[in-house]
Amino acid sequence: MHIAFHAPLKPPDHPVPSGDRRMARAFMDLLVSLGHEVELASRFRSYDRTGDERRQERLARIGRELARRLVRRYRGRPPEMLPGLWFTYHLYHKAPDWLGPVVSTALRIPYVVAEASVAPKQAAGPWAIGFAASRAAIARADLVLAMTDQDRAGLASVVSGPGRLHLFPPFLDTAPFAAAALARGSARARLAAASGLDMEWPWLVAVAMMRADAKLLSYRLLARALAALADRDWQLVVVGDGEARGTVEGLLAPLGAGRVHFTGAVPPEALAGLLAACDLCVWPACNEAYGMALLEAQAAGLPVVAGAEGGVSDIVVDGSTGILVRPRDPLAFADAVRTLLDDPERRRVMGLAARAHVTARHDVAAARARLRPLLEASRCVSA
């Protein structure tokens, strides 16, 4: 089947790396692995970061015109080249889908959405236009894939009818991370040689872009938490880059010379080895949807200490694959990190549990097995 794919928040080929971009690409690859031909329908971004009503109105006009153009373009194709399904990844009040509902209705094809969310408090707020559009699109969808329990609960009030709303856990290809975990010793030696890290100390790792939003808040909390652990031996590896890098470096500088190593942005093919070389993933996870970096760290055999915010508890099993603490509580975070720093055997057992959990629940093979019957059913629903 030919599938038209759209990601209104950020297209899968966007130049700035992020968990959202990785998940969009993963969905495209997943659809291809199921035997479908996937076309990126549009790179149009409907994202409005600040709640600007005029900007949202302008984006709505552009989106409606683009949708009309897409319908004309598709109708000009031979029947065998027409999309048999429209798939939109990640729509919500800040990034509504102006294209998918129009095109799928005009072509009479199923409309499928993944990682959609509904925040009722935005109905009359600065994103009211985006909220109304995203809510209408979600209500129109033949199949809605919620990636966290929190999102599924919110969507239940919008998605009516049986078989349309399903929990679909975030996923990744665990094979590179499993291979990296098996070669941990050599990966650790390479990182030590490149960075000057002490191989006798535990290495903490944080992976996140450096932006002046919730990411920066997480970095602030991480700095406060680690400052309370000055009496322990540890070093921190920070993976990521962005416009707030100078601020992040300033926040972590008081931890002491030699404590923190910045890698900058790391290409995807090198990330698995870097994670496997470390001992513990640490991230406060402020306003995280779920955190792809936390999933990747566990796939590489690392336990996680994170804030129990958003959908983090959907991917980190508290007490088994890591420790979840009260959101935005640096002292509780420090206590959890201290617990695992002082107990290498517990870290090891949690790391093994993390790999097993991610392989069983979040591997691409599990996602493939979930998605195939859901897409088949969605075609019947639309028909």
Side-chain angles (χ1 to χ4, degrees), residues 82-103:
L82 284 173
L85 182 144
W86 181 284
F87 194 108
T88 291
Y89 169 71
H90 205 171
L91 68 153
Y92 69 125
H93 60 276
K94 290 186 180 181
D97 183 10
W98 295 108
L99 309 184
V102 174
V103 176

Side-chain angles (χ1 to χ4, degrees), residues 46-53 55-56 59 94-95 126-127:
S46 63
Y47 180 57
D48 172 38
R49 181 176 181 178
T50 61
D52 184 332
E53 182 177 350
R55 173 176 169 80
Q56 290 172 62
L59 288 170
K94 290 186 180 181
W127 287 278

Side-chain angles (χ1 to χ4, degrees), residues 65-77 107:
E65 177 57 30
L66 286 174
R68 288 191 288 267
R69 292 181 187 178
L70 278 171
V71 171
R72 290 196 297 269
R73 188 177 82 190
Y74 286 138
R75 283 177 171 167
R77 292 181 176 182
L107 300 183

Side-chain angles (χ1 to χ4, degrees), residues 358-380:
V358 172
T359 300
R361 180 171 170 79
H362 298 282
D363 184 63
V364 66
R368 191 180 300 118
R370 290 188 186 100
L371 187 57
R372 187 189 302 274
L374 293 177
L375 289 183
E376 292 173 354
S378 75
R379 298 179 71 187
C380 294

Side-chain angles (χ1 to χ4, degrees), residues 22-31 87 89 114 145 147 168-174 290 292 295-296 315 358 361-368 370-371:
R22 293 201 298 279
M23 200 72 251
R25 290 177 172 178
F27 264 113
M28 293 186 77
D29 292 343
L30 180 63
L31 292 166
F87 194 108
Y89 169 71
L145 306 178
M147 304 191 75
F168 198 89
F171 61 93
L172 74 168
D173 181 1
T174 63
Y290 44 84
M292 276 301 294
L295 201 60
E296 291 166 335
I315 64 170
V358 172
R361 180 171 170 79
H362 298 282
D363 184 63
V364 66
R368 191 180 300 118
R370 290 188 186 100
L371 187 57

Side-chain angles (χ1 to χ4, degrees), residues 154-180:
L155 290 164
S157 63
V158 177
V159 182
S160 60
R164 295 179 58 227
L165 176 60
H166 295 266
L167 182 64
F168 198 89
F171 61 93
L172 74 168
D173 181 1
T174 63
F177 297 91

